[in-house]
Every structure is written in structure tokens, then in C-alpha cells.
Amino acid sequence: MDRDVSEPRVVVGVDGSDSSYAAVRWAVRYAALLGGVVDAVTVWELPGLYGWSAPAVDTDVDEDEARQLMRRELTDVLGAETAGAVRTHVVHGNAADVLLRSAEGAEALVVGSRGRGGFARALLGSVSQHVSQHAACPVVIVRSEEI
């Protein structure tokens, strides 16, 4: 991921959930206060890929298509002008690990309180809980407005 040290960076995890969209809005507002940029990161990982058996899903993920989908979602959430200023990154790997690496040197790492999986009543998702305990920068966990 490109890291321009001349301007503050705010990294935000985006997974398509309502709380990640709330996190994106928060990250954009905070970056504006800092005079910085937003790096929106979406992570893909194939379930079962690292187990002893072969993956049960198609391993051919089209990263360009995923990036275009992410850009459309950001435009829906932020509007075209604001979304155009957000740098997007589609990365393969474990979500928590990728977000922690992406946030190295950032002013803040922003994530939604719960992602697309897990239990609806859980206070924190596994990724938000993990990054809150291991990040080298401040972590902001944003709840969806619908909660």
C-alpha cells in the first residue's frame, strides 16, 4: 500500500456491512479535520483455503471487479465527489492482519463494530476486537446507526 508520509492517513476497513459504512463516513470526517487522506481497505479470504482439504469455492477472485464494486459502494455511501478522494485497496489475506499492516504509520484505524458475519447481538466482531488489541495506532470502532 502506498504510504505518503507527507500527509496524515486514516485507514478504514470496508466489508459491505452497515457498520463499515458508518466507519467510512467517520473516517472521512476525521481525515478532513487532520488534512489527511483515507485509505479504504477491503479484504478477501477464501474459506477453507488453509485447511487440509481443497477449498469448496472458486479461487478465481476478480480483484478489479471487487475494486469497482467497492468504488460503487463508496459512491453510494459518500457521494461521488467525496468517494473520489478515498483511496481504495483490495487485498487478499486475513482481515485483521491486513488491516493491522495497512494501519502502520496511520493516524487511526477505523472499523465497524460488527462485520457481515457472526452473531447479531455480539458487542464486537472478531476483527474489530482483534485490531483494537493489537494496532500500533489509535483504533476507532464505529457502530451502525441502525443498532
Side-chain angles (χ1 to χ4, degrees), residues 23-145:
V24 167
R25 288 188 289 272
W26 195 97
V28 167
R29 288 190 303 269
Y30 185 63
L33 292 173
L34 297 175
V37 298
V38 175
D39 284 326
V41 179
T42 193
V43 183
W44 62 275
E45 182 176 34
L46 299 173
L49 185 60
Y50 303 110
W52 59 269
S53 64
V57 295
D58 184 3
T59 60
D60 186 25
V61 173
D62 187 339
E63 287 189 42
D64 288 333
E65 186 176 312
R67 192 170 284 106
Q68 290 172 7
L69 174 62
M70 182 182 186
R71 181 61 59 198
R72 283 192 304 270
E73 289 177 346
L74 289 174
T75 299
D76 291 346
V77 170
L78 301 170
E81 185 176 335
T82 303
V86 174
R87 301 187 301 197
T88 59
H89 308 275
V90 177
V91 183
H92 174 259
N94 173 274
D97 293 340
V98 168
L99 289 172
L100 289 171
R101 281 194 313 272
S102 298
E104 291 175 1
E107 295 297 316
L109 171 59
V110 186
V111 293
S113 60
R114 288 196 311 266
R116 296 167 61 107
F119 298 99
R121 286 179 277 166
L123 183 60
L124 291 178
S126 60
V127 172
S128 59
Q129 185 171 7
H130 185 84
V131 299
S132 71
Q133 295 171 351
H134 298 285
C137 65
V139 175
V140 178
I141 300 173
V142 181
R143 291 179 51 172
S144 169
E145 288 88 14

Side-chain angles (χ1 to χ4, degrees), residues 3-9 34-37:
R3 291 192 173 96
D4 184 353
V5 294
S6 65
E7 56 191 348
R9 283 184 322 114
L34 297 175
V37 298

